[in-house]
Amino acid sequence: MELMIISVIALTMRLHRMQLPREVVVGNENLSLLNEICKKLGFCESALIVTGPDTQDIAGRRVSDLLIDKGMDINSIIVNSSTLQEVKDVENKIEELKPQVILGVGGGTKIDVAKLSSTRQGLPFISVPTTASHDGIASSVAAIKGFNKPYSVMAQSPMAIVADTDVIIRSDYRFTASGCGDIISKFTSVRDWELAYKVKNEYYGEYAASLALMSARLITKNADLIKPRAEEGLRLVLEGLISCGVAMSIAGSSKPCSGSEHLFSHSLDLVQSNGGLHGEQCGVGTIMMAYLYDIDWKGIKGTLQKTEAPTTAEELDVEPESIIKALVQACTIRPERYTILNTKQLDYTSAKQLAKVTGVIP
Ligand SMILES: [Zn+2]
């Protein structure tokens, strides 16, 4: 009897929760499927659309009209950035209107606000991205400013993802190139996760790690297809981003997809905040972290160049000095996340050397 109780406790302690999307649709002209998807998931009455001033015109209004046409009670709220204040504003709207589901229609920031506000109010959310800029369109984590920490917080996975390539292909190609940078970063984030497992005995899941790595490998293999107005390439990027989001959901944390290269990007945001895109900065970080790992950093740089993602300080439009400072400070951003930066302990001189040798700074 005693043995049985112990084994039940052991099993309970090893319980691993995975929250995955139920419907994922990537393709052209698929916004019209939203009504059917909402119905299938049991949302036939009401929804709140979280969108931006521009994305309202690009897709928000269309989604709203489509669902109103089918007899749903639809309200929209416009958010401008992903701050805690905007999350609270959306939460107030949710409390007032009591919708069945929240739809995030827009780029990364609008989706992040929809994701966190719906989580805090205990409601499901559907992701309708209008750009392919980072894996937050499909993940369970949200990047929100105002938490006194410059990195993402846990929220919930979208219940459905509807990525319309006709809409996304019309966005600035820079966003898609940034998405490639975010996917490429899995070459080093997975290494960091493995390192934390070996050194700190942290949980490591090979399935989630393989899924994240597979996206990075597929983007590398097909980099030639990823270019402005190329639908096939865009689909690859979207599917890669969604797989990365699913990898995080399987892992139950952002670890498979966010390592030292992400710490560099968050650090750069603090050192020189110039509105650089997350994936662009992570891509540049990956080149340098790959060098520290002694893996094919030149190949990574070549892939980024093919997809027209930035690979230098100049292309990121930041000062070389900011890159060095960001490298030195990166390990202080999230001390509990063990990465290659803990073992290498970069100082000013070694950080400068790293940025120079990889061609990130002249
Ligand atoms: Zn990322």
Side-chain angles (χ1 to χ4, degrees):
M1 184 63 182
E2 202 178 323
L3 254 178
M4 213 177 94
I5 292 169
I6 291 168
S7 64
V8 168
I9 292 169
L11 267 177
T12 312
M13 286 174 74
R14 279 164 54 202
L15 198 124
H16 186 91
R17 186 167 176 240
M18 300 181 195
Q19 193 188 37
L20 300 165
R22 254 180 68 182
E23 299 279 343
V24 179
V25 193
V26 177
N28 52 328
E29 283 299 323
N30 63 14
L31 282 188
S32 53
L33 294 177
L34 263 167
N35 165 58
E36 192 190 313
I37 289 169
C38 281
K39 235 186 203 162
K40 225 172 168 181
L41 297 172
F43 312 126
C44 305
E45 278 151 37
S46 57
L48 174 65
I49 295 174
V50 178
T51 189
D54 298 330
T55 45
Q56 163 84 331
D57 293 334
I58 294 164
R61 201 166 293 116
R62 238 173 90 203
V63 171
S64 171
D65 290 348
L66 267 164
L67 297 177
I68 289 172
D69 258 10
K70 299 291 173 185
M72 280 179 79
D73 182 12
I74 303 296
N75 284 281
S76 296
I77 180 166
I78 307 279
V79 297
N80 290 296
S81 55
S82 53
T83 61
L84 200 48
Q85 189 52 51
E86 305 258 17
V87 171
K88 283 178 184 158
D89 292 346
V90 175
E91 282 192 78
N92 289 338
K93 203 80 185 163
I94 293 173
E95 279 171 5
E96 180 198 326
L97 298 167
K98 303 200 183 338
Q100 288 180 303
V101 61
I102 309 301
L103 272 73
V105 182
T109 52
K110 316 309 176 279
I111 286 175
D112 280 341
V113 171
K115 196 189 291 179
L116 190 61
S117 54
S118 60
T119 309
R120 286 162 56 134
Q121 290 293 317
L123 286 181
F125 116 93
I126 294 176
S127 172
V128 186
T130 55
T131 64
S133 60
H134 63 73
D135 56 26
I137 60 170
S139 75
S140 47
V141 296
I144 301 290
K145 292 186 189 85
F147 276 114
N148 294 329
K149 48 185 181 180
Y151 51 86
S152 303
V153 293
M154 280 310 281
Q156 65 179 346
S157 287
M159 191 169 255
I161 304 160
V162 180
D164 189 325
T165 51
D166 281 340
V167 170
I168 300 170
I169 210 160
R170 287 200 288 266
S171 69
D172 187 345
Y173 175 74
R174 185 184 168 196
F175 290 115
T176 308
S178 170
C180 289
D182 203 22
I183 297 173
I184 285 294
S185 73
K186 306 338 172 199
F187 279 125
T188 49
S189 58
V190 168
R191 286 284 181 134
D192 285 323
W193 195 23
E194 237 174 327
L195 187 69
Y197 162 69
K198 283 177 187 154
V199 179
K200 307 287 274 185
N201 201 26
E202 282 181 21
Y203 163 78
Y204 173 78
E206 213 170 336
Y207 187 81
S210 306
L211 190 57
L213 263 185
M214 187 178 71
S215 299
R217 289 191 183 125
L218 279 173
I219 290 297
T220 306
K221 192 177 144 204
N222 297 293
D224 292 331
L225 300 174
I226 302 163
K227 48 194 168 204
R229 292 173 298 281
E231 208 214 338
E232 198 183 352
L234 175 62
R235 270 179 194 251
L236 271 165
V237 177
L238 281 167
E239 285 168 8
L241 293 171
I242 292 167
S243 296
C244 292
V246 169
M248 285 186 259
S249 294
I250 291 172
S253 93
S254 63
K255 284 178 189 170
C257 297
S258 170
S260 48
E261 72 300 315
H262 272 63
L263 294 179
F264 164 76
S265 171
H266 300 318
S267 181
L268 187 60
D269 283 337
L270 296 180
V271 171
Q272 188 180 354
S273 173
N274 70 345
L277 296 177
H278 166 85
E280 293 180 337
Q281 298 180 171
C282 288
V284 173
T286 308
I287 300 171
M288 296 186 283
M289 301 310 148
Y291 182 89
L292 293 181
Y293 270 116
D294 200 16
I295 55 178
D296 184 15
W297 64 272
K298 286 181 184 162
I300 287 169
K301 189 174 184 171
T303 302
L304 290 170
Q305 283 166 334
K306 272 189 203 165
T307 63
E308 295 175 31
T311 59
T312 63
E314 198 187 352
E315 285 167 2
L316 281 179
D317 197 21
V318 295
E319 296 299 322
E321 202 61 22
S322 302
I323 297 282
I324 302 168
K325 271 192 201 152
L327 278 171
V328 174
Q329 288 176 21
C331 63
T332 63
I333 297 290
R334 197 171 190 176
E336 78 285 3
R337 184 146 295 189
Y338 195 86
T339 71
I340 187 83
L341 294 166
N342 293 79
T343 55
K344 296 289 177 181
Q345 300 281 341
L346 295 174
D347 59 14
Y348 184 89
T349 312
S350 53
K352 188 175 180 181
Q353 170 69 11
L354 172 62
K356 261 180 173 291
V357 78
T358 50
V360 172
I361 65 169

